[in-house]
Amino acid sequence: MKKTLLQLLTVSAVAASVMLPLNAAPAAASAQSAKTPAASANGDLAPAAGHYSDHGRLMLTQQELVSRIAQLTEKKPLVIQQWLKNYEPDARVTKGEAARLGFKAIAHIPSEHAAVTDIKVLSAATLEITFDSPLTAADVNLDKAKVNFQFDNGMTIRNVPQLKNGARSTYVVPVTVQQPGKTYSLTYKGKAAGKFTGSAHTVKLAAARQVTADTFELESFRKDGIVDYGYVVESYFGTRGGLEMYLNDRNASGGKSYDIISSLRDMSVTLTPEGGQPIRAAYVPYTQATDDRQAPKFRLPAGQTLTPGVTYKVTSDWATVTEASFTARSAAPLVIASAKAVSPASVDITLAADPRDEMFSGRSVELTDGDGKKLTAVYKVTSRKGAVGTFELPAGTQLSPGKSYTVTASGSWATQQGKISLNTDALKNS
């Protein structure tokens, strides 16, 4: 009985939120305007004050309806737009459309009291966890998630849970690598949430390939049934150039099953030179799915480079690489062509050619003024536009207006086309 009453109250609240008045109600309608939208004789929600019907349509546009539901559900408006058959921002909404979307929104309202209902192991470093309600934005914050999700036997969450496209409350959850056959327990927000058995299943990647003197990539393809999580989770919806996918509860689409590469944050692989000692190569952040490619980059420890002519083999406890070996070659560094101050704390660095695939990630440049004082600017992830990337100074550090700086790469990742000067005269009036 209590649950039914709560559901009715929630329905009423959602309907009221969706049908909030856009215009002041006329005096004759003031009594009705103070009430929650009433039900019409045919069961549709009647319009709130100001939303007067005209042949079954309300003084409410689809864009306004989408915006309100997006706020209620903490979703992108673009996601809500998919709920409408033919989204037209300025089209007026019918009573039926408003009621249908309002009621659909109820199931998608996040709850801080969400509880785990199911745990699936997708691969050695990825879980799929379903809740009885969607999680709030606060609960998928990484710091909060690390507190909420507690595993035993040394397992931890590595990055935020990601809601699958089209799912109500099923999340892709990246975790540290499991021990096959070991039983793990999950506690969520202090409550026992279930057990699962560690899996030896690894994601099948196609090939290892050198990219720069200190970086290589591991490419995979959808045609092989491998998809990066960026294409199948809601937070990235609308940013993948139309390549987004909806996977069902068996992680299949169009009759084909897929393995999901979850976030590779804090992950690494082992690179072993022929006749040499293994080297740990760390994942380069934000490189796992860029420029329409699934090709995460891995980088050797600072100061180390691949030796031309030596054959290296990649191994991992979370992935299996079909073509795991490559022979290193001499790789020319990237070339800095120019630099421009865009704010007191940031600089745009332009290369001679587009490096593609977020190759700026993890790189920095040194800015040296006429007195020999040096500042270091670090690449701002995902800021690249073609050959141009934005580099930021540390918090509390700024360029001096009216000064000239010489720009050089920190390390050997790039060279310069002659002397690259950064003039800050434009900052005098900023």
Side-chain angles (χ1 to χ4, degrees):
M1 180 67 180
K2 287 183 179 179
K3 184 175 181 181
T4 302
L5 178 60
L6 178 60
Q7 289 173 333
L8 290 173
L9 291 172
T10 303
V11 168
S12 178
V14 172
S17 298
V18 169
M19 308 291 281
L20 282 173
L22 295 179
N23 309 298
S30 60
Q32 177 62 31
S33 69
K35 300 178 182 179
T36 298
S40 66
N42 64 8
D44 286 338
L45 290 176
H51 290 159
Y52 292 99
S53 176
D54 177 11
H55 301 294
R57 295 190 178 277
L58 307 177
M59 297 300 291
L60 179 74
T61 66
Q62 289 190 359
Q63 184 176 44
E64 291 163 338
L65 177 64
V66 163
S67 177
R68 291 176 184 178
I69 292 180
Q71 292 176 345
L72 283 169
T73 58
E74 298 183 2
K75 293 181 180 293
K76 294 179 180 180
L78 183 60
V79 172
I80 307 302
Q81 289 174 19
Q82 312 309 307
W83 296 4
L84 289 161
K85 291 182 179 178
N86 296 296
Y87 176 70
E88 297 180 19
D90 296 327
R92 287 165 61 184
V93 177
T94 66
K95 290 184 289 183
E97 285 175 331
R100 180 175 63 81
L101 264 69
F103 278 90
K104 181 172 182 176
I106 294 167
H108 293 268
I109 295 176
S111 172
E112 62 181 12
H113 303 296
V116 174
T117 60
D118 188 47
I119 304 172
K120 292 181 181 177
V121 178
L122 300 187
S123 66
T126 306
L127 302 178
E128 184 177 277
I129 301 180
T130 300
F131 294 79
D132 58 7
S133 300
L135 303 179
T136 65
D139 284 333
V140 294
N141 169 276
L142 183 55
D143 290 338
K144 187 77 175 290
K146 285 184 174 180
V147 174
N148 292 344
F149 289 82
Q150 294 292 321
F151 300 90
D152 61 1
N153 291 319
M155 177 180 287
T156 59
I157 191 171
R158 291 185 290 104
N159 207 344
V160 298
Q162 294 279 2
L163 181 65
K164 290 172 63 179
N165 287 336
R168 186 179 78 91
S169 53
T170 297
Y171 294 79
V172 176
V173 181
V175 292
T176 50
V177 178
Q178 307 154 30
Q179 295 184 43
K182 182 177 284 292
T183 298
Y184 293 88
S185 296
L186 167 63
T187 299
Y188 183 73
K189 288 191 172 181
K191 296 182 179 179
K195 298 177 183 291
F196 58 95
T197 302
S199 172
H201 179 67
T202 55
V203 178
K204 304 300 187 293
L205 307 182
R209 187 180 299 108
Q210 181 182 358
V211 179
T212 70
D214 63 354
T215 306
F216 60 94
E217 66 184 16
L218 301 178
E219 190 169 21
S220 62
F221 303 96
R222 285 202 204 187
K223 65 180 178 61
D224 296 330
I226 307 296
V227 63
D228 187 85
Y229 82 104
Y231 295 105
V232 299
V233 299
E234 198 171 271
S235 64
Y236 287 104
F237 190 85
T239 68
R240 298 295 170 173
L243 296 176
E244 293 86 350
M245 293 179 64
Y246 292 88
L247 298 180
N248 63 20
D249 56 3
R250 297 181 302 280
N251 286 323
S253 176
K256 184 182 183 68
S257 296
Y258 290 86
D259 263 352
I260 299 174
I261 304 174
S262 63
S263 168
L264 295 177
R265 182 190 181 106
D266 297 333
M267 296 296 274
S268 63
V269 296
T270 299
L271 186 67
T272 305
E274 190 173 18
Q277 295 299 310
I279 304 167
R280 177 184 174 274
Y283 168 64
V284 181
Y286 297 91
T287 64
Q288 67 184 82
T290 60
D291 292 68
D292 299 339
R293 298 179 67 229
Q294 297 179 167
K297 310 297 184 285
F298 293 82
R299 189 163 290 156
L300 276 59
Q304 294 189 35
T305 58
L306 297 165
T307 303
V310 172
T311 298
Y312 294 83
K313 183 176 182 179
V314 178
T315 54
S316 169
D317 52 5
W318 59 269
T320 300
V321 186
T322 301
E323 297 178 20
S325 297
F326 64 91
T327 300
R329 53 177 171 75
S330 295
L334 301 174
V335 179
I336 298 175
S338 64
K340 177 184 177 181
V342 293
S343 78
S346 62
V347 176
D348 273 355
I349 299 296
T350 300
L351 299 180
D354 183 354
R356 298 180 60 81
D357 295 336
E358 201 66 4
M359 285 307 300
F360 279 122
S361 187
R363 305 303 195 183
S364 60
V365 294
E366 282 192 348
L367 312 174
T368 307
D369 66 17
D371 298 323
K373 181 180 178 181
K374 296 188 178 199
L375 299 174
T376 298
V378 178
Y379 174 65
K380 178 183 179 181
V381 293
T382 72
S383 70
R384 179 180 64 87
K385 294 179 176 62
V388 183
T390 300
F391 288 66
E392 296 181 318
L393 295 171
T397 305
Q398 292 190 343
L399 297 168
S400 298
K403 277 195 173 184
S404 179
Y405 294 81
T406 299
V407 180
T408 56
S410 299
S412 59
W413 68 272
T415 58
Q416 295 73 240
Q417 285 184 344
K419 181 179 179 180
I420 304 298
S421 295
L422 175 71
N423 189 290
T424 60
D425 287 343
L427 300 179
K428 289 181 178 180
N429 299 319
S430 65

